[in-house]
Amino acid sequence: MSCEDEHYHPHSHSHSHSHGDEDEDDHSHGHSHSHSHGHSHIAPIATNASQSLLPRIDLSKVTGLNLSNPPCELSQIFRTQDLKYHLKPIIKSDDNHELIIHIPFLDGSTKLFSIILRTNGDLYCPKMIKLYKNDKTIDFSEIENKKPTFVINHPHLGVMYNDDETSQDIMPEKLESDDDFVEHLLPRHLFTGVHHLTIYIASKYKQNDEQEEEEEDDSEPDSDDEDGASHLHYIELRGEFTSLNKNPVVTLYESAANPNDHKLKSDNLLTNNFTIG
């Protein structure tokens, strides 16, 4: 466990605002969130866009439970950098705020560094998000009995257009703003050897909730946080991927040469080239 990792804690936040001069290779995300006890002596390791794991996600097998959208739309929330500002399709939960997303990776071993979210900032903003590593069986019938690998407390921050039929706000196709992307840095020692990641939205903010810092406890969300749906505009996973080589390495070699073999070959060559006049 590195010094950087050992200070992460799922129920407290330290916030930093990154600007373009801090990372010349990545201008896409205005906020980064790490979880610490307040005594970390090493800054969390920054990520960059080149560490996107999008090419390593098996998009055809991404699934959701309590999903309002057609299943084919779910994979579109994992957008390429040239489409990152697009707001649609918006991934929505159905009967309530809860949403489970299963994300399988292609054959290989993944180490997760961070998860970047773009959510809805008022009516539909997720609050508590639980991450589970390498458990394909998670569903609503047993999720309360499953221990999460890590818990994220997402801030009440996101796109300020409410996707509501009664709303007077008209949501554009895209919004070129970096201020509503939030990167949650993960404890890397917990997310090594990841083949499958499950995201569970466990609670959401109430309408007009003020953003508050979470207390360092394990309390569950209040019941009045649970009304309404959760909406997501964007998910990006960053990390390191190592391919698994299925084929064994075959080493070709030649045994030590036998001088008699070479003499025999030379004799045969002379015999084959002999012409009777």
Side-chain angles (χ1 to χ4, degrees):
M1 181 185 303
S2 68
C3 291
E4 172 235 339
D5 288 334
E6 68 184 0
H7 296 294
Y8 283 93
H9 188 277
H11 296 291
S12 64
H13 299 273
S14 63
H15 304 276
S16 62
H17 298 271
S18 59
H19 302 283
D21 56 351
E22 295 179 8
D23 189 348
E24 295 179 357
D25 296 328
D26 184 19
H27 305 280
S28 60
H29 307 292
H31 298 79
S32 64
H33 290 243
S34 63
H35 305 269
S36 93
H37 291 294
H39 60 267
S40 174
H41 55 281
I42 297 179
I45 301 174
T47 68
N48 60 72
S50 68
Q51 295 170 322
S52 171
L53 291 169
L54 177 59
R56 308 303 183 180
I57 297 174
D58 193 347
L59 293 175
S60 64
K61 296 181 181 178
V62 173
T63 58
L65 301 177
N66 196 37
L67 181 68
S68 175
N69 304 65
C72 61
E73 289 187 351
L74 181 56
S75 63
Q76 297 179 48
I77 199 173
F78 303 93
R79 297 189 175 98
T80 57
Q81 290 298 301
D82 59 326
L83 297 175
K84 67 185 177 185
Y85 293 122
H86 285 241
L87 299 177
K88 299 177 181 179
I90 306 166
I91 300 306
K92 310 172 185 178
S93 61
D94 193 4
D95 294 331
N96 54 32
H97 68 279
E98 291 182 286
L99 181 63
I100 293 175
I101 301 176
H102 286 288
I103 307 169
F105 292 95
L106 298 173
D107 288 343
S109 180
T110 304
K111 183 175 184 178
L112 289 181
F113 296 166
S114 70
I115 178 171
I116 298 170
L117 302 173
R118 196 185 201 189
T119 64
N120 187 271
D122 187 15
L123 297 181
Y124 310 108
C125 183
K127 185 176 184 181
M128 179 183 289
I129 301 172
K130 299 181 180 181
L131 304 180
Y132 302 80
K133 167 186 168 181
N134 296 343
D135 191 341
K136 302 178 182 180
T137 66
I138 290 177
D139 58 25
F140 289 111
S141 66
E142 57 179 22
I143 197 164
E144 293 302 326
N145 298 322
K146 299 276 188 176
K147 182 180 179 180
T149 308
F150 193 67
V151 179
I152 291 171
N153 288 297
H154 187 74
H156 199 177
L157 174 71
V159 176
M160 297 306 295
Y161 289 92
N162 292 314
D163 185 46
D164 191 333
E165 294 179 357
T166 63
S167 175
Q168 296 181 357
D169 295 332
I170 300 176
M171 185 174 294
E173 286 297 318
K174 63 180 181 178
L175 180 63
E176 296 188 8
S177 170
D178 295 327
D179 293 337
D180 40 50
F181 289 86
V182 180
E183 180 174 20
H184 296 278
L185 300 173
L186 302 176
R188 299 185 182 189
H189 69 285
L190 294 180
F191 288 95
T192 60
V194 181
H195 309 293
H196 187 102
L197 180 70
T198 302
I199 299 174
Y200 169 46
I201 297 179
S203 69
K204 65 176 286 291
Y205 286 94
K206 296 177 292 183
Q207 184 176 1
N208 299 322
D209 257 358
E210 294 294 327
Q211 180 178 342
E212 297 179 356
E213 293 293 327
E214 297 292 331
E215 298 295 332
E216 291 193 24
D217 59 38
D218 294 321
S219 60
E220 291 299 315
D222 295 332
S223 60
D224 55 0
D225 282 346
E226 299 178 0
D227 297 330
S230 299
H231 290 186
L232 299 172
H233 298 279
Y234 179 90
I235 298 176
E236 180 183 345
L237 300 175
R238 290 184 177 181
E240 185 178 83
F241 183 87
T242 303
S243 298
L244 295 180
N245 189 354
K246 294 183 178 180
N247 299 320
V249 177
V250 179
T251 303
L252 300 179
Y253 65 94
E254 183 179 359
S255 60
N258 187 334
N260 293 328
D261 291 342
H262 288 280
K263 182 177 183 302
L264 180 62
K265 291 179 182 178
S266 299
D267 291 344
N268 289 339
L269 181 62
L270 290 174
T271 303
N272 293 336
N273 290 338
F274 180 75
T275 301
I276 299 176

